[in-house]
Amino acid sequence: MAPTSPVRAPKTSLRKRLVKLAEVLLKPLYWWYEQRIEAEVRQGQLPKHLGLILDGNRRFARELGLPGHEGHEFGVQKAYEVLEWCLELGIPTVTIWVFSTDNWKRSPAEVETLMGLFVREAKRMAQDPRIHANEVRVRVIGRHDRFPPKVLEALEELERATAHHSGMLLQIAMGYGGREEIVDAVKSLLLEAAQTGKSPEELAEELDLQHISERLYTAGVPDPDFIIRTSGEIRLSGFLLWQSAYSEYYFFDAFWPAFRRLDFLRAVRDYQRRERRFGH
């Protein structure tokens, strides 16, 4: 049997120590850079409505050698962090997409894990002192007919517990799909027309953009100015399709749990540097 090399382990150990040393030495520099960007961002115009597509939880977990579904735990903690960053900047409305209509196609085990997570976090948020201290009002949007009763009860309690707040509006998109939202808005219009005896021709004659907007899940809420998607995917995947006609997008390569405050500030700075013309 060939003797094992006595060199590899020390080299690996040295490399780890050097990486750790570099992180320690660079930490003050990163902190200074972050503070500089934050000061710049606070001088600019902030988005009134920020949309967040939380993508990459499962791939993040797999890179760590963990089962994919365990990535959702990391994703939850990151969501709390990002919401605190939004509160610090004073962004009035935030919409986060946590479960799409397509996500029902995932394995029963993963869906069950997510349902349990939703119950736990809804109960936690309903009593979270940060939510109440900052007057955060929570609304849950989407199709909820397939959610188990325990999930619906927890979500309804969260909405009730924050309904009187007047601070940030946090919309949690669950069981959400942009196409489904538009279909539901049209269905609502047709049912209202049938109840009032209005003919299809009369409805078609008066139908305009406002009729649809007023029947969306987000009725009464300003359209998102800025939408961030993590994980390197460059697509909408159905997020706020109607509302995002003039939104600015920012696609970030890292997975959602790896999204840093520095990355968030740089994204907002990028938004501030854009010229929004709205078709003009």
Side-chain angles (χ1 to χ4, degrees):
M1 180 182 295
T4 57
S5 171
V7 177
R8 182 173 302 172
K11 279 187 175 180
T12 302
S13 179
L14 177 60
R15 186 180 302 114
K16 288 182 178 179
R17 288 200 298 270
L18 289 173
V19 170
K20 186 67 175 178
L21 178 61
E23 290 176 353
V24 171
L25 292 174
L26 289 174
K27 190 173 183 179
L29 180 61
Y30 278 117
W31 179 87
W32 173 83
Y33 182 49
E34 183 178 302
Q35 297 302 307
R36 178 181 173 184
I37 293 180
E38 180 178 356
E40 184 179 342
V41 163
R42 288 185 180 278
Q43 293 176 2
Q45 184 173 358
L46 295 165
K48 295 180 175 61
H49 182 177
L50 173 66
L52 295 166
I53 303 176
L54 324 183
D55 199 14
N57 291 332
R58 294 185 299 172
R59 282 170 285 170
F60 179 83
R62 292 186 188 117
E63 282 198 350
L64 295 177
L66 301 170
H69 68 272
E70 292 189 15
H72 298 303
E73 289 284 354
F74 295 103
V76 166
Q77 299 312 313
K78 181 56 61 175
Y80 279 109
E81 286 183 45
V82 176
L83 290 175
E84 286 188 0
W85 304 340
C86 293
L87 286 167
E88 290 170 1
L89 290 182
I91 296 175
T93 302
V94 177
T95 300
I96 60 173
W97 196 12
V98 301
F99 190 84
S100 75
T101 50
D102 290 330
N103 290 156
W104 289 111
K105 300 173 185 176
R106 294 184 178 180
S107 71
E110 182 175 359
V111 170
E112 181 63 25
T113 296
L114 286 167
M115 294 302 114
L117 199 61
F118 296 153
V119 172
R120 187 192 77 191
E121 293 307 317
K123 290 181 177 179
R124 175 183 172 186
M125 289 184 71
Q127 300 181 11
D128 192 323
R130 294 170 298 179
I131 294 293
H132 297 289
N134 289 285
E135 292 277 315
V136 177
R137 180 164 58 97
V138 181
R139 290 179 57 192
V140 185
I141 61 173
R143 287 183 175 178
H144 303 146
D145 53 299
R146 295 180 63 180
F147 285 98
K150 61 181 181 180
V151 176
L152 295 177
E153 290 169 8
L155 296 177
E156 289 167 4
E157 174 55 32
L158 173 57
E159 290 186 320
R160 281 195 299 270
T162 63
H164 61 287
H165 289 168
S166 57
M168 172 198 286
L169 171 62
L170 171 60
Q171 295 187 129
I172 303 177
M174 291 178 56
Y176 178 85
R179 289 176 174 176
E180 288 83 354
E181 180 180 25
I182 295 169
V183 167
D184 287 348
V186 173
K187 283 183 177 180
S188 178
L189 272 170
L190 293 174
L191 288 172
E192 289 173 25
Q195 291 168 359
T196 58
K198 189 177 296 182
S199 70
E201 291 77 14
E202 290 173 320
L203 177 60
E205 178 66 27
E206 67 179 28
L207 186 63
D208 60 18
L209 299 178
Q210 195 66 23
H211 283 89
I212 301 293
S213 296
E214 291 173 349
R215 289 160 181 83
L216 296 173
Y217 307 146
T218 59
V221 178
D223 290 341
D225 318 88
F226 188 38
I227 295 174
I228 298 173
R229 179 172 188 156
T230 55
S231 87
E233 305 293 351
I234 306 176
R235 59 175 181 269
L236 307 183
S237 297
F239 182 63
L240 300 179
L241 287 179
W242 180 279
Q243 300 90 328
S244 63
Y246 288 104
S247 299
E248 298 293 329
Y249 273 84
Y250 187 88
F251 298 101
F252 186 68
D253 287 338
F255 300 135
W256 172 250
F259 190 53
R260 304 169 302 175
R261 188 171 186 269
L262 176 60
D263 304 320
F264 172 73
L265 291 170
R266 291 174 68 179
V268 175
R269 184 180 64 175
D270 184 89
Y271 161 80
Q272 292 174 331
R273 291 176 172 178
R274 300 182 190 182
E275 181 183 357
R276 305 189 71 208
R277 293 187 295 272
F278 301 96
H280 295 295

